[in-house]
Amino acid sequence: MSGSNRKYKDSVFVDLFSEDEKAKENFLSLYNALHNTKLTAIERLKNIRLDQVLYMTFYNDVSYLVDNKIIILAEHQSTINPNMPLRCLEYISRLYETLFESKEKYSRKLLNIPTPEFYVFYNGEETYPSDKTLKLSDAFIEKVSLPNLELTVNVININRQNRHPLLENCKPMQEYSIFVETVRKWKETDPKNGFEKAVEECIANNILREYLKRKTKEVINMLLAEYDYETDIAVQRAEEREIAFAEGTYQKAIETARLMRYENLGIDLISKVTGLSKEEIDSL
């Protein structure tokens, strides 16, 4: 599980809800908003976060044991990865391994295990539904009506303009959404000093004020790491596309997308079938 000497960087999202001195308070507010509860005992929260599972080069996951549940959270500022159910399956398997000794699993007595829940919070710039459920069974080659193995991930769009009820019921998440929006605005306006300007504006407008005043330098460093990570991902995707184009698979995907659009099929379905982005499909 997580330790004090990490090789990889945390995101602001992870720090705010998992590592900061007030992270448990923030997480409990989020938990109550998700479950319509009023829990107050932060000492009942146990941080059980794993390292290097959901993202191998950058930490963007949060997991807590609370109220007989394992709550696993992740954030996406880029396109939602359809393989999140598979990643979460790997994650929860490793968590259960850490929570129970091997000999307990061979007992004649039924082993009671915490109920897992998986959430992805989306705040990217592409249009995305307010709520969406990703299922592991969607990836199965052979489709069955009642799969023997299922895992669902709840995706929630936390962009402020989306007006999701979660933002009204969880102040830390609402302010975090505004913070991300402010960072994005300033990064486009002033690429050199955008992160500093965004932090200054949020403090002035009482957005995550106490947190940002206390950890200004750390937050800016985390934002720099996040920006570098997103840039690396974008470069990798561009390189993959160039390779696919050279092999002819990209052109084939374009042709398939054109045919599907001609048949008035939905963009989400076209994107899923061809692997093309919504922007690429819109340009056809």
Side-chain angles (χ1 to χ4, degrees):
M1 293 193 220
S2 60
S4 57
N5 297 316
R6 289 202 181 88
K7 180 180 179 181
Y8 300 104
K9 298 286 186 179
D10 279 329
S11 68
V12 175
F13 173 82
V14 165
D15 190 59
L16 192 63
F17 289 98
S18 181
E19 301 300 325
D20 184 62
E21 63 186 51
K22 294 190 175 180
K24 287 188 175 182
E25 294 177 23
N26 295 332
F27 174 83
L28 197 57
S29 172
L30 177 56
Y31 178 89
N32 285 332
L34 289 169
H35 296 84
N36 194 28
T37 53
K38 296 181 179 180
L39 300 184
T40 58
I42 62 173
E43 65 273 8
R44 294 175 60 184
L45 298 179
K46 181 180 180 182
N47 193 330
I48 54 172
R49 182 174 162 217
L50 288 175
D51 291 345
Q52 306 175 34
V53 180
L54 288 181
Y55 301 87
M56 297 307 292
T57 57
F58 193 75
Y59 283 125
N60 218 7
D61 59 276
V62 173
S63 54
Y64 278 93
L65 183 62
V66 53
D67 203 21
N68 296 319
K69 301 183 185 73
I70 291 178
I71 309 297
I72 297 173
L73 316 175
E75 177 204 30
H76 263 299
Q77 291 190 23
S78 57
T79 305
I80 293 293
N81 188 315
N83 296 309
M84 284 307 295
L86 184 59
R87 291 185 175 192
C88 287
L89 177 63
E90 180 182 8
Y91 196 100
I92 192 63
S93 297
R94 295 191 186 183
L95 272 179
Y96 282 141
E97 286 180 358
T98 65
L99 293 175
F100 302 100
E101 297 180 6
S102 296
K103 62 181 181 180
E104 293 182 270
K105 301 165 192 174
Y106 294 95
S107 170
R108 292 189 177 187
K109 182 180 178 181
L110 179 65
L111 186 62
N112 294 316
I113 62 177
T115 304
E117 294 180 8
F118 308 93
Y119 299 91
V120 170
F121 300 103
Y122 176 71
N123 55 13
E125 298 183 76
E126 295 182 16
T127 301
Y128 202 82
S130 179
D131 292 276
K132 187 171 183 178
T133 300
L134 303 180
K135 294 183 178 181
L136 181 67
S137 60
D138 289 339
F140 293 165
I141 296 173
E142 183 177 346
K143 307 299 181 184
V144 294
S145 57
L146 294 174
N148 290 325
L149 177 64
E150 185 62 282
L151 187 148
T152 59
V153 177
N154 302 294
V155 184
I156 299 175
N157 189 331
I158 60 169
N159 281 296
R160 186 164 53 149
Q161 66 271 21
N162 192 53
R163 299 178 181 273
H164 195 284
L166 177 71
L167 300 183
E168 298 178 7
N169 298 320
C170 178
K171 185 178 179 181
M173 185 62 84
Q174 181 186 60
E175 294 189 8
Y176 176 71
S177 175
I178 298 172
F179 169 74
V180 171
E181 180 183 308
T182 306
V183 169
R184 187 176 292 142
K185 177 191 73 175
W186 275 109
K187 190 58 186 175
E188 293 176 357
T189 305
D190 187 352
K192 184 177 180 181
N193 303 301
F195 294 145
E196 291 88 345
K197 296 285 184 64
V199 170
E200 290 172 3
E201 179 178 320
C202 285
I203 291 175
N205 292 332
N206 203 28
I207 302 300
L208 299 179
R209 180 183 178 88
E210 188 275 335
Y211 171 75
L212 293 175
K213 286 187 69 174
R214 177 165 45 84
K215 304 183 77 169
T216 297
K217 183 176 180 180
E218 294 94 326
V219 167
I220 291 173
N221 286 336
M222 285 185 280
L223 289 172
L224 287 168
E226 287 188 68
Y227 179 77
D228 289 342
Y229 174 74
E230 293 293 335
T231 301
D232 288 343
I233 292 297
V235 170
Q236 289 175 24
R237 287 175 176 165
E239 290 175 347
E240 290 171 357
R241 188 157 296 152
E242 289 179 6
I243 293 172
F245 185 85
E247 294 176 347
T249 54
Y250 182 71
Q251 189 59 37
K252 183 177 179 180
I254 291 291
E255 294 171 1
T256 301
R258 284 200 181 103
L259 289 172
M260 294 179 74
R261 290 213 73 176
Y262 181 77
E263 296 294 334
N264 292 321
L265 297 176
I267 289 181
D268 286 339
L269 176 61
I270 298 173
S271 177
K272 184 175 181 179
V273 171
T274 64
L276 299 175
S277 68
K278 293 181 180 179
E279 288 81 4
E280 290 172 310
I281 297 169
D282 283 334
S283 68
L284 297 178

